[in-house]
Protein backbone atom coordinates (compact mmCIF):
# COMPACT_ATOMS: atom_id res chain seq x y z
CA UNK A 1 0.00 0.00 0.00
CA UNK A 2 1.56 3.22 -1.17
CA UNK A 3 4.97 1.57 -1.48
CA UNK A 4 5.31 1.76 -5.25
CA UNK A 5 8.37 3.56 -6.59
CA UNK A 6 6.12 5.85 -8.63
CA UNK A 7 3.30 8.29 -7.91
CA UNK A 8 -0.05 6.51 -7.64
CA UNK A 9 -3.49 8.02 -8.21
CA UNK A 10 -7.18 7.08 -8.26
CA UNK A 11 -10.30 8.91 -9.36
CA UNK A 12 -13.23 10.01 -7.22
CA UNK A 13 -16.26 12.04 -8.29
CA UNK A 14 -18.59 14.24 -6.28
CA UNK A 15 -22.27 15.17 -6.52
CA UNK A 16 -24.03 13.58 -9.49
CA UNK A 17 -25.71 16.02 -11.87
CA UNK A 18 -28.84 14.96 -13.75
CA UNK A 19 -29.18 17.94 -16.09
CA UNK A 20 -28.54 18.32 -19.81
CA UNK A 21 -25.45 20.23 -20.93
CA UNK A 22 -24.88 22.40 -24.01
CA UNK A 23 -24.87 19.96 -26.92
CA UNK A 24 -25.31 16.86 -24.76
CA UNK A 25 -28.28 15.37 -22.98
CA UNK A 26 -27.78 14.04 -19.46
CA UNK A 27 -27.72 10.37 -20.38
CA UNK A 28 -25.23 11.01 -23.18
CA UNK A 29 -22.59 12.91 -21.25
CA UNK A 30 -22.88 10.58 -18.23
CA UNK A 31 -22.29 7.62 -20.56
CA UNK A 32 -19.27 9.40 -22.01
CA UNK A 33 -17.74 9.82 -18.55
CA UNK A 34 -18.33 6.19 -17.63
CA UNK A 35 -16.91 5.13 -20.98
CA UNK A 36 -13.57 6.78 -20.22
CA UNK A 37 -13.28 4.79 -16.99
CA UNK A 38 -14.37 1.57 -18.67
CA UNK A 39 -11.92 2.02 -21.54
CA UNK A 40 -9.11 2.48 -19.03
CA UNK A 41 -10.21 -0.50 -16.93
CA UNK A 42 -10.68 1.67 -13.86
CA UNK A 43 -13.20 1.72 -11.01
CA UNK A 44 -13.94 5.00 -9.23
CA UNK A 45 -16.05 6.02 -6.27
CA UNK A 46 -18.96 8.40 -6.81
CA UNK A 47 -19.97 10.45 -3.76
CA UNK A 48 -23.69 11.08 -4.00
CA UNK A 49 -25.75 14.11 -3.07
CA UNK A 50 -29.13 12.54 -2.41
CA UNK A 51 -31.63 15.33 -3.09
CA UNK A 52 -31.72 14.86 -6.86
CA UNK A 53 -31.49 11.04 -6.79
CA UNK A 54 -35.11 10.34 -5.84
CA UNK A 55 -36.74 10.91 -9.24
CA UNK A 56 -36.46 8.82 -12.41
CA UNK A 57 -33.31 10.55 -13.67
CA UNK A 58 -31.66 10.30 -10.27
CA UNK A 59 -32.38 6.60 -10.00
CA UNK A 60 -31.10 6.11 -13.56
CA UNK A 61 -27.85 7.86 -12.64
CA UNK A 62 -27.28 5.78 -9.51
CA UNK A 63 -28.02 2.56 -11.37
CA UNK A 64 -25.67 3.52 -14.23
CA UNK A 65 -22.80 3.93 -11.79
CA UNK A 66 -23.73 0.88 -9.76
CA UNK A 67 -24.16 -1.46 -12.74
CA UNK A 68 -20.76 -0.32 -14.05
CA UNK A 69 -19.14 -1.54 -10.84
CA UNK A 70 -18.23 1.81 -9.30
CA UNK A 71 -18.47 2.36 -5.55
CA UNK A 72 -21.25 4.65 -4.33
CA UNK A 73 -20.50 6.83 -1.28
CA UNK A 74 -22.34 9.47 0.75
CA UNK A 75 -21.98 13.23 0.10
CA UNK A 76 -24.99 14.52 2.14
CA UNK A 77 -28.49 15.28 0.84
CA UNK A 78 -28.30 18.97 -0.15
CA UNK A 79 -24.53 19.71 0.00
CA UNK A 80 -24.40 22.05 3.04
CA UNK A 81 -21.15 23.50 4.36
CA UNK A 82 -20.30 21.92 7.73
CA UNK A 83 -17.62 24.56 8.15
CA UNK A 84 -20.32 27.21 8.46
CA UNK A 85 -21.56 28.34 11.85
CA UNK A 86 -25.11 28.20 10.46
CA UNK A 87 -24.90 24.43 9.83
CA UNK A 88 -25.46 22.56 13.09
CA UNK A 89 -24.35 19.04 13.87
CA UNK A 90 -27.99 17.96 14.10
CA UNK A 91 -28.76 19.30 10.62
CA UNK A 92 -25.66 17.71 9.14
CA UNK A 93 -26.43 14.40 10.84
CA UNK A 94 -29.82 14.29 9.09
CA UNK A 95 -28.17 15.13 5.75
CA UNK A 96 -25.89 12.13 6.19
CA UNK A 97 -28.59 9.73 7.39
CA UNK A 98 -31.08 10.57 4.65
CA UNK A 99 -28.59 10.01 1.84
CA UNK A 100 -27.56 6.72 3.40
CA UNK A 101 -31.15 5.53 2.90
CA UNK A 102 -30.96 6.64 -0.75
CA UNK A 103 -27.82 4.62 -1.57
CA UNK A 104 -27.83 1.63 0.79
CA UNK A 105 -29.90 -0.53 -1.60
CA UNK A 106 -27.18 -0.43 -4.25
CA UNK A 107 -24.86 -3.38 -4.88
CA UNK A 108 -21.76 -1.17 -4.70
CA UNK A 109 -22.90 0.95 -1.75
CA UNK A 110 -19.83 1.73 0.29
CA UNK A 111 -19.56 3.34 3.69
CA UNK A 112 -17.36 6.24 2.69
CA UNK A 113 -18.47 9.81 3.41
CA UNK A 114 -17.14 12.93 1.71
CA UNK A 115 -17.66 16.37 3.21
CA UNK A 116 -19.11 19.00 0.86
CA UNK A 117 -16.47 21.61 0.01
CA UNK A 118 -14.08 19.37 2.08
CA UNK A 119 -15.16 21.36 5.16
CA UNK A 120 -15.17 19.08 8.20
CA UNK A 121 -16.33 21.51 10.88
CA UNK A 122 -15.66 24.95 12.30
CA UNK A 123 -15.54 23.88 15.97
CA UNK A 124 -13.82 21.01 17.73
CA UNK A 125 -17.16 19.86 19.15
CA UNK A 126 -18.77 19.60 15.70
CA UNK A 127 -15.77 17.76 14.27
CA UNK A 128 -15.64 15.20 17.07
CA UNK A 129 -19.41 14.60 17.11
CA UNK A 130 -19.55 13.91 13.39
CA UNK A 131 -16.52 11.63 13.52
CA UNK A 132 -18.30 9.65 16.21
CA UNK A 133 -21.42 9.50 14.05
CA UNK A 134 -19.43 8.13 11.12
CA UNK A 135 -17.76 5.53 13.30
CA UNK A 136 -21.04 4.47 14.90
CA UNK A 137 -22.49 3.89 11.45
CA UNK A 138 -19.49 1.97 10.16
CA UNK A 139 -18.40 4.79 7.85
CA UNK A 140 -14.97 6.16 7.04
CA UNK A 141 -14.00 9.59 5.79
CA UNK A 142 -13.71 9.50 2.00
CA UNK A 143 -10.72 11.82 2.09
CA UNK A 144 -9.35 13.67 -0.91
CA UNK A 145 -5.57 13.80 -1.10
CA UNK A 146 -5.34 15.79 -4.35
CA UNK A 147 -7.71 18.75 -4.31
CA UNK A 148 -8.31 20.95 -7.35
CA UNK A 149 -10.69 23.42 -8.99
CA UNK A 150 -12.05 21.33 -11.87
CA UNK A 151 -15.53 22.64 -11.01
CA UNK A 152 -14.43 26.19 -11.79
CA UNK A 153 -12.93 25.25 -15.14
CA UNK A 154 -16.14 23.40 -15.90
CA UNK A 155 -18.27 26.44 -15.04
CA UNK A 156 -16.34 28.59 -17.50
CA UNK A 157 -16.46 25.86 -20.14
CA UNK A 158 -20.26 25.76 -19.80
CA UNK A 159 -20.45 29.53 -20.15
CA UNK A 160 -18.54 29.32 -23.43
CA UNK A 161 -20.63 26.46 -24.79
CA UNK A 162 -23.89 28.16 -23.86
CA UNK A 163 -22.73 31.11 -25.94
CA UNK A 164 -21.69 28.87 -28.83
CA UNK A 165 -22.20 25.10 -28.80
CA UNK A 166 -19.67 24.66 -31.60
CA UNK A 167 -16.94 26.70 -29.89
CA UNK A 168 -13.38 25.37 -30.01
CA UNK A 169 -12.74 23.96 -26.51
CA UNK A 170 -9.21 22.65 -27.04
CA UNK A 171 -7.76 25.42 -24.84
CA UNK A 172 -10.15 24.45 -22.03
CA UNK A 173 -8.96 20.86 -22.28
CA UNK A 174 -5.32 21.91 -22.11
CA UNK A 175 -5.99 24.13 -19.09
CA UNK A 176 -7.91 21.32 -17.37
CA UNK A 177 -5.06 18.85 -17.89
CA UNK A 178 -2.36 21.32 -16.86
CA UNK A 179 -4.23 22.43 -13.74
CA UNK A 180 -4.96 18.91 -12.51
CA UNK A 181 -1.41 17.74 -13.11
CA UNK A 182 -0.02 20.82 -11.36
CA UNK A 183 -2.18 20.15 -8.32
CA UNK A 184 -1.33 16.44 -8.38
CA UNK A 185 2.41 17.20 -8.35
CA UNK A 186 1.95 19.72 -5.53
CA UNK A 187 0.12 17.26 -3.28
CA UNK A 188 2.38 14.36 -4.26
CA UNK A 189 5.48 16.35 -3.29
CA UNK A 190 3.86 17.50 -0.06
CA UNK A 191 2.77 13.99 0.88
CA UNK A 192 6.23 12.60 0.13
CA UNK A 193 7.77 15.24 2.39
CA UNK A 194 5.31 14.21 5.12
CA UNK A 195 5.54 10.43 4.83
CA UNK A 196 8.75 9.62 2.96
CA UNK A 197 6.85 7.47 0.47
CA UNK A 198 4.43 7.56 -2.46
CA UNK A 199 0.95 7.36 -0.98
CA UNK A 200 -2.09 6.13 -2.89
CA UNK A 201 -3.76 9.37 -3.91
CA UNK A 202 -7.45 10.11 -4.35
CA UNK A 203 -8.09 12.89 -6.86
CA UNK A 204 -11.16 15.07 -6.38
CA UNK A 205 -13.15 15.45 -9.58
CA UNK A 206 -16.79 16.32 -10.14
CA UNK A 207 -19.46 14.62 -12.18
CA UNK A 208 -19.65 17.26 -14.88
CA UNK A 209 -19.23 17.94 -18.59
CA UNK A 210 -15.51 18.68 -18.32
CA UNK A 211 -14.92 15.19 -16.97
CA UNK A 212 -17.18 13.69 -19.64
CA UNK A 213 -15.15 15.42 -22.35
CA UNK A 214 -11.62 15.30 -20.96
CA UNK A 215 -11.29 12.34 -18.58
CA UNK A 216 -9.83 10.05 -21.24
CA UNK A 217 -7.14 12.62 -21.96
CA UNK A 218 -6.51 13.04 -18.23
CA UNK A 219 -5.99 9.31 -17.74
CA UNK A 220 -3.66 9.16 -20.74
CA UNK A 221 -1.70 12.16 -19.46
CA UNK A 222 -1.10 10.70 -16.00
CA UNK A 223 0.03 7.40 -17.48
CA UNK A 224 2.32 9.12 -19.98
CA UNK A 225 3.97 11.01 -17.12
CA UNK A 226 4.75 7.82 -15.22
CA UNK A 227 1.89 7.78 -12.74
CA UNK A 228 0.29 4.49 -11.80
CA UNK A 229 -3.54 4.64 -11.81
CA UNK A 230 -5.40 2.28 -9.50
CA UNK A 231 -9.00 1.61 -8.52
CA UNK A 232 -10.37 3.83 -5.78
CA UNK A 233 -11.09 0.97 -3.37
CA UNK A 234 -7.40 0.02 -3.46
CA UNK A 235 -6.39 3.62 -2.88
CA UNK A 236 -8.47 3.85 0.28
CA UNK A 237 -6.60 0.84 1.70
CA UNK A 238 -3.55 3.06 2.19
CA UNK A 239 -2.86 3.54 5.93
CA UNK A 240 -2.80 7.33 5.51
CA UNK A 241 -6.60 7.29 5.26
CA UNK A 242 -6.78 6.26 8.91
CA UNK A 243 -5.42 9.69 9.90
CA UNK A 244 -7.62 12.15 11.79
CA UNK A 245 -5.94 15.56 11.89
CA UNK A 246 -7.75 18.00 14.17
CA UNK A 247 -7.11 21.43 12.76
CA UNK A 248 -9.86 23.98 13.36
CA UNK A 249 -11.39 24.77 10.97
CA UNK A 250 -11.09 21.14 9.89
CA UNK A 251 -10.93 19.86 6.36
CA UNK A 252 -9.27 20.49 2.99
CA UNK A 253 -7.18 17.77 1.38
CA UNK A 254 -5.98 15.15 3.87
CA UNK A 255 -2.42 15.92 2.78
CA UNK A 256 -3.01 19.65 3.37
CA UNK A 257 -4.53 18.94 6.79
CA UNK A 258 -1.65 16.71 7.87
CA UNK A 259 0.87 19.28 6.68
CA UNK A 260 -1.00 21.99 8.60
CA UNK A 261 -1.12 19.86 11.75
CA UNK A 262 2.63 19.27 11.57
CA UNK A 263 3.40 22.99 11.70
CA UNK A 264 6.31 22.49 9.32
CA UNK A 265 4.85 23.60 5.99
CA UNK A 266 3.21 26.98 6.56
CA UNK A 267 5.19 28.48 3.67
CA UNK A 268 3.59 25.95 1.29
CA UNK A 269 -0.03 26.19 2.48
CA UNK A 270 -2.81 28.58 1.51
CA UNK A 271 -6.40 28.72 2.73
CA UNK A 272 -8.66 27.66 1.26
CA UNK A 273 -6.30 25.16 -0.29
CA UNK A 274 -8.03 25.34 -3.68
CA UNK A 275 -10.55 27.78 -5.10
CA UNK A 276 -11.64 29.23 -8.41
CA UNK A 277 -10.26 32.59 -7.32
CA UNK A 278 -6.75 31.21 -7.77
CA UNK A 279 -7.49 30.32 -11.41
CA UNK A 280 -9.55 33.34 -12.50
CA UNK A 281 -6.81 35.79 -13.54
CA UNK A 282 -4.97 33.25 -15.70
CA UNK A 283 -8.13 31.97 -17.33
CA UNK A 284 -9.17 35.58 -18.00
CA UNK A 285 -5.79 36.27 -19.60
CA UNK A 286 -6.08 33.17 -21.77
CA UNK A 287 -9.56 34.16 -22.87
CA UNK A 288 -11.18 31.08 -21.33
Amino acid sequence: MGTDAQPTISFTFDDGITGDMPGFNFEEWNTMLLGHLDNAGLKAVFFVTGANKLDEKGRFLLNSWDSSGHMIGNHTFTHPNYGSATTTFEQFEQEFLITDTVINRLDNYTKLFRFPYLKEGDTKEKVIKFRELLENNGYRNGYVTIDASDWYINSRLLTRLRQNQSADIEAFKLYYLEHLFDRAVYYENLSFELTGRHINHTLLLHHNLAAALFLGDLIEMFRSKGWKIIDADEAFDDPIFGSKPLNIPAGESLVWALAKASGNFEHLLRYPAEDGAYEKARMDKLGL
Side-chain angles (χ1 to χ4, degrees), residues 97-110:
L97 293 172
I98 294 170
T99 292
D100 185 76
T101 69
V102 174
I103 64 175
N104 64 18
R105 64 173 178 81
L106 299 166
D107 290 339
N108 291 296
Y109 160 64
T110 186

Side-chain angles (χ1 to χ4, degrees), residues 122-181:
D122 56 318
T123 69
K124 185 176 180 180
E125 180 186 19
K126 282 170 66 175
V127 173
I128 291 173
K129 287 177 77 170
F130 198 78
R131 286 180 178 177
E132 290 174 348
L133 177 69
L134 289 178
E135 187 172 343
N136 290 341
N137 283 274
Y139 266 79
R140 294 191 296 150
N141 190 328
Y143 283 119
V144 169
T145 63
I146 300 172
D147 191 7
S149 295
D150 70 307
W151 58 271
Y152 180 72
I153 300 168
N154 180 74
S155 71
R156 294 181 63 135
L157 171 67
L158 291 180
T159 297
R160 179 65 53 83
L161 290 174
R162 288 181 183 125
Q163 294 166 346
N164 175 13
Q165 285 190 14
S166 60
D168 184 351
I169 58 171
E170 180 70 14
F172 282 95
K173 181 183 80 173
L174 295 176
Y175 192 95
Y176 182 86
L177 298 177
E178 180 186 298
H179 169 72
L180 288 170
F181 189 68

Side-chain angles (χ1 to χ4, degrees), residues 41-56:
L42 294 171
K43 300 300 183 188
V45 54
F46 288 86
F47 289 95
V48 171
T49 45
N52 66 336
K53 305 302 187 298
L54 303 177
D55 61 10
E56 184 179 352

Side-chain angles (χ1 to χ4, degrees), residues 22-37:
F24 302 92
N25 65 41
F26 149 63
E27 294 83 359
E28 183 181 9
W29 69 261
N30 177 64
T31 297
M32 289 164 56
L33 193 159
L34 291 175
H36 292 307
L37 293 169

Side-chain angles (χ1 to χ4, degrees), residues 1-284:
M1 292 177 289
T3 57
D4 293 293
Q6 65 187 128
T8 300
I9 195 170
S10 66
F11 297 110
T12 71
F13 297 85
D14 284 7
D15 303 335
I17 296 171
T18 56
D20 296 340
M21 297 294 161
F24 302 92
N25 65 41
F26 149 63
E27 294 83 359
E28 183 181 9
W29 69 261
N30 177 64
T31 297
M32 289 164 56
L33 193 159
L34 291 175
H36 292 307
L37 293 169
D38 189 51
N39 290 340
L42 294 171
K43 300 300 183 188
V45 54
F46 288 86
F47 289 95
V48 171
T49 45
N52 66 336
K53 305 302 187 298
L54 303 177
D55 61 10
E56 184 179 352
K57 281 193 170 185
R59 290 191 295 271
F60 171 87
L61 186 63
L62 289 180
N63 289 332
S64 75
W65 297 344
D66 193 37
S67 64
S68 298
H70 300 292
M71 295 192 298
I72 314 295
N74 191 324
H75 194 43
T76 71
F77 196 67
T78 66
H79 207 271
N81 184 345
Y82 196 48
S84 168
T86 62
T87 303
T88 68
F89 164 74
E90 290 75 18
Q91 291 168 332
F92 206 66
E93 177 184 31
Q94 287 306 305
E95 291 269 344
F96 161 75
L97 293 172
I98 294 170
T99 292
D100 185 76
T101 69
V102 174
I103 64 175
N104 64 18
R105 64 173 178 81
L106 299 166
D107 290 339
N108 291 296
Y109 160 64
T110 186
K111 291 192 171 187
L112 287 170
F113 177 83
R114 176 160 293 164
F115 287 86
Y117 312 105
L118 304 186
K119 306 307 184 201
E120 299 181 24
D122 56 318
T123 69
K124 185 176 180 180
E125 180 186 19
K126 282 170 66 175
V127 173
I128 291 173
K129 287 177 77 170
F130 198 78
R131 286 180 178 177
E132 290 174 348
L133 177 69
L134 289 178
E135 187 172 343
N136 290 341
N137 283 274
Y139 266 79
R140 294 191 296 150
N141 190 328
Y143 283 119
V144 169
T145 63
I146 300 172
D147 191 7
S149 295
D150 70 307
W151 58 271
Y152 180 72
I153 300 168
N154 180 74
S155 71
R156 294 181 63 135
L157 171 67
L158 291 180
T159 297
R160 179 65 53 83
L161 290 174
R162 288 181 183 125
Q163 294 166 346
N164 175 13
Q165 285 190 14
S166 60
D168 184 351
I169 58 171
E170 180 70 14
F172 282 95
K173 181 183 80 173
L174 295 176
Y175 192 95
Y176 182 86
L177 298 177
E178 180 186 298
H179 169 72
L180 288 170
F181 189 68
D182 175 78
R183 295 294 81 203
V185 169
Y186 169 79
Y187 288 104
E188 160 65 9
N189 289 341
L190 190 55
S191 65
F192 200 91
E193 285 289 315
L194 277 163
T195 66
R197 65 184 180 92
H198 297 291
I199 68 168
N200 289 344
H201 283 288
T202 51
L203 172 64
L204 171 59
L205 294 173
H206 290 81
H207 178 250
N208 58 27
L209 183 61
L213 292 170
F214 306 145
L215 181 60
D217 297 291
L218 186 68
I219 291 168
E220 182 181 332
M221 179 196 69
F222 274 112
R223 285 178 169 164
S224 71
K225 292 181 180 293
W227 286 58
K228 179 181 179 182
I229 308 178
I230 61 175
D231 292 341
D233 62 343
E234 181 183 349
F236 279 109
D237 286 339
D238 191 299
I240 199 167
F241 293 102
S243 306
K244 294 182 179 180
L246 192 55
N247 310 305
I248 303 297
E252 309 304 298
S253 152
L254 175 60
V255 172
W256 188 100
L258 290 170
K260 182 72 172 177
S262 77
N264 297 325
F265 299 93
E266 287 300 314
H267 62 295
L268 295 176
L269 303 177
R270 61 190 182 185
Y271 188 86
E274 304 298 331
D275 193 87
Y278 302 132
E279 309 308 318
K280 183 181 185 302
R282 184 153 180 263
M283 292 194 79
D284 286 348

